[in-house]
Amino acid sequence: MPVFLRRPGQLLAVVVLVMQPVGGLGVQCPVPDITHGQLKPAQNFTYGSTATLECDDGYVPVGAITTVRCLGSGRWHPRVPACTLGRCPYPPAVEHADQSSQHEFPVGTTVTYFCRLGYTLLPEVSPITTCLKNFTWSVIPKLCQKVQCPSPALRHGTEVRPRKAEYTFGHQVEFRCDPGYVLRGSQRIQCWSDGTWRPPVPYCDKVCGPPPKITNGQHSGSRTEQFPYGFEVKYSCGEGLSLIGDDSIYCTSDDGVNLAWSGPAPECRVVRCPKPTVERGRMTPQRFTFPYGAAVRFSCDEGFMLQGDAESRCLADSTWHPPLPTCQPVLCPQPQVVNGRLKSTLEGKTWYQTNATVTFECLHGYHFSDDGDVSLEDSWTATCLPDGTWTPLPKCRKEGDADVCEEVHYIKTVFECGVPMAEVKTLLEIEKLFLEIKKLKVELENLNK
Ligand SMILES: *[C@@H]1O[C@H](CO)[C@@H](O)[C@H](O)[C@H]1NC(C)=O
Ligand SMILES: *[C@@H]1O[C@H](CO)[C@@H](O)[C@H](O)[C@H]1NC(C)=O
Ligand SMILES: *[C@@H]1O[C@H](CO)[C@@H](O)[C@H](O)[C@H]1NC(C)=O
């Protein structure tokens, strides 16, 4: 039958077929054992019949020929091909995503996608696709969306260019503060791949306006119009003028909300205090004119003491403060002598001026004594000194009680000074004589009374 075949080999096959007609009649080909596939039709494989290989789902025939013919010899020609696991093509590209690196994609293989930098997986989608039995990939929905940053809300400020509905990865925003506010932080920020703004979102801070101007003076803040919290401005006056008040003010807040300058600006004025005069006193420094704030120190002449403050300052109203002191004469207190009294009761005062004198006498039975020597003088004069003390006051002692101890002490001192013994003896003897004479005198006096 297939006489129209032209190629020599096949012509030969036809010849073979023709030459085996006898054995071919009633011959059946076997049902081949095919894993993952079968022939169709599935039986009645008689001589000359053809059958086609059908592989199970997910499998494909090996080779291009799938139709076989049953020969008269009871064999299939060509040999029944096998079924092998099919493959999917390279998985499709997904926007803003990369996939796990694989090269072979047999049925059942899964491939996972990853969102690229700046993109994030949409909620409730699976980034995994599977190679199906019909050699296509399971449907991949839209997987990745751009990372979003929160809306950079700026109080008391606006974005320079109109606001967009969404702020996504890479988006840049520039800010401007409302008048009366100053920007703290970066003026331009960018939405980062992790969904944060970098640098961080700035804020608008209240500012103080220009500080008050003053006549005849200037301040250090003349270059700008806006001053942030804590900014300090210093004032200075023209030459020869005094600055009255605080020389600096700063931007501060009383209520924690509004900003204002900490106080009024100082004044620049000509201030001259009169040269201070304190009688019987001196002052430093010595000057002819005293500007605002100048300080002067006072002291008194000898015999006088300062009453009031030793230092005074020139005030803005050209007065001295604290008020100038005075120099008052130094006084001596009333002197006291044990067993003695003032010769005249008229001399009795609580305080005595410098150079005042008082005269003492000892009480009855007592005598002036000076270091053991009993003086027979009957009066003793003391003078009030400029430092408020008296010249030495007398001691009144009872006769004979010339202090033995003092005497011993005196003798001891003499010894220690290395006075020759003979001399000491002489001295002591003279002393003894002197005392005896004194004793006699006193006794004589007593007899006379
Ligand atoms: C096989 O072929 C024979 C004869 O042609 C027929 O009688 C039989 O029904 C066929 N069997 C099937 C299962 O088709
Ligand atoms: C392949 O199979 C899947 C699931 O069985 C089906 O949804 C899809 O349409 C099929 N694709 C083709 C090209 O037949
Ligand atoms: C006290 O006397 C001295 C010596 O006479 C005199 O220089 C001095 O000025 C006097 N002082 C007063 C406060 O009178």
Side-chain angles (χ1 to χ4, degrees):
M1 290 186 318
V3 280
F4 47 84
L5 293 178
R6 290 169 302 177
R7 281 161 66 193
Q10 285 184 343
L11 188 62
L12 184 68
V14 171
V15 171
V16 169
L17 281 174
V18 171
M19 284 175 67
Q20 290 184 330
V22 183
L25 290 172
V27 167
Q28 287 238 334
C29 280
V31 178
D33 182 19
I34 307 164
T35 41
H36 306 302
Q38 61 276 314
L39 288 180
K40 282 281 164 79
Q43 58 210 68
N44 275 355
F45 299 133
T46 52
Y47 164 64
S49 66
T50 61
T52 302
L53 175 66
E54 279 189 11
C55 290
D56 295 345
D57 278 353
Y59 289 83
V60 289
V62 177
I65 296 164
T66 53
T67 302
V68 290
R69 181 183 294 274
C70 181
L71 297 185
S73 59
R75 281 187 295 183
W76 292 103
H77 180 83
R79 280 174 60 187
V80 178
C83 283
T84 182
L85 197 59
R87 290 174 200 293
C88 277
Y90 197 83
V94 169
E95 250 197 326
H96 311 305
D98 292 317
Q99 53 196 245
S100 51
S101 56
Q102 281 159 271
H103 302 289
E104 292 275 302
F105 307 99
V107 170
T109 304
T110 59
V111 164
T112 308
Y113 288 89
F114 302 96
C115 291
R116 294 194 187 123
L117 187 73
Y119 291 83
T120 181
L121 202 61
L122 281 161
E124 286 166 32
V125 297
S126 168
I128 298 169
T129 181
T130 310
C131 177
L132 300 176
K133 283 181 175 169
N134 60 7
F135 319 121
T136 64
W137 292 98
S138 59
V139 175
I140 307 152
K142 183 172 153 56
L143 282 184
C144 302
Q145 65 178 358
K146 259 191 180 179
V147 166
Q148 282 205 18
C149 282
S151 171
L154 194 72
R155 290 186 61 201
H156 310 300
T158 49
E159 285 174 39
V160 172
R161 260 163 265 121
R163 164 191 296 261
K164 288 194 178 175
E166 289 189 336
Y167 299 90
T168 50
F169 168 56
H171 191 94
Q172 284 197 351
V173 174
E174 212 177 312
F175 296 104
R176 183 172 41 212
C177 287
D178 298 342
Y181 291 85
V182 70
L183 192 82
R184 302 289 209 142
S186 178
Q187 192 187 359
R188 182 185 282 249
I189 60 173
Q190 191 168 15
C191 179
W192 217 250
S193 59
D194 61 359
T196 64
W197 290 101
R198 291 196 200 174
V201 181
Y203 63 96
C204 290
D205 209 2
K206 275 220 163 115
V207 287
C208 280
K213 284 190 164 64
I214 56 169
T215 46
N216 302 322
Q218 64 263 334
H219 60 70
S220 58
S222 52
R223 298 237 180 104
T224 29
E225 294 283 299
Q226 302 191 327
F227 299 84
Y229 178 83
F231 195 93
E232 190 183 39
V233 165
K234 261 190 164 343
Y235 284 87
S236 57
C237 288
E239 195 166 338
L241 297 175
S242 298
L243 188 138
I244 317 294
D246 291 331
D247 68 346
S248 66
I249 57 174
Y250 52 94
C251 182
T252 183
S253 177
D254 284 338
D255 52 10
V257 180
N258 296 298
L259 297 187
W261 291 103
S262 58
E267 268 183 81
C268 288
R269 284 214 307 260
V270 178
V271 173
R272 290 283 176 272
C273 277
K275 187 176 172 177
T277 48
V278 173
E279 281 199 41
R280 285 186 283 275
R282 281 155 287 187
M283 63 175 196
T284 46
Q286 279 284 353
R287 284 162 77 157
F288 291 108
T289 62
F290 293 87
Y292 169 74
V296 174
R297 287 194 68 80
F298 301 97
S299 58
C300 288
D301 294 342
E302 195 182 64
F304 294 86
M305 64 180 189
L306 208 63
Q307 227 160 53
D309 290 281
E311 191 177 287
S312 191
R313 275 177 191 279
C314 178
L315 291 190
D317 61 0
S318 301
T319 62
W320 291 98
H321 185 83
L324 301 180
T326 56
C327 284
Q328 297 294 331
V330 173
L331 300 175
C332 291
Q334 189 179 52
Q336 299 291 333
V337 171
V338 181
N339 298 321
R341 64 179 172 222
L342 291 175
K343 205 156 188 182
S344 160
T345 48
L346 295 174
E347 289 181 5
K349 283 194 263 180
T350 316
W351 294 98
Y352 297 82
Q353 295 199 342
T354 303
N355 286 353
T357 58
V358 286
T359 310
F360 285 97
E361 61 181 7
C362 285
L363 298 181
H364 183 72
Y366 291 85
H367 293 273
F368 295 123
S369 151
D370 184 19
D371 278 342
D373 293 334
V374 172
S375 160
L376 294 177
E377 304 282 324
D378 56 2
S379 70
W380 180 297
T381 301
T383 308
C384 173
L385 295 173
D387 67 353
T389 64
W390 292 95
T391 53
L393 295 175
K395 286 174 188 160
C396 288
R397 291 227 168 83
K398 221 181 199 148
E399 253 169 78
D401 73 351
D403 205 337
V404 179
C405 288
E406 262 180 42
E407 207 59 37
V408 170
H409 181 72
Y410 170 72
I411 293 165
K412 210 174 157 227
T413 318
V414 172
F415 263 105
E416 275 167 9
C417 287
V419 178
M421 203 57 196
E423 244 171 84
V424 175
K425 269 188 182 163
T426 317
L427 277 172
L428 289 174
E429 245 141 57
I430 292 168
E431 183 100 72
K432 194 180 162 196
L433 278 173
F434 175 73
L435 286 175
E436 265 163 24
I437 291 166
K438 260 208 298 196
K439 196 178 168 191
L440 283 173
K441 265 193 183 171
V442 171
E443 270 169 23
L444 209 70
E445 238 175 2
N446 285 350
L447 281 178
N448 287 350
K449 281 187 184 167

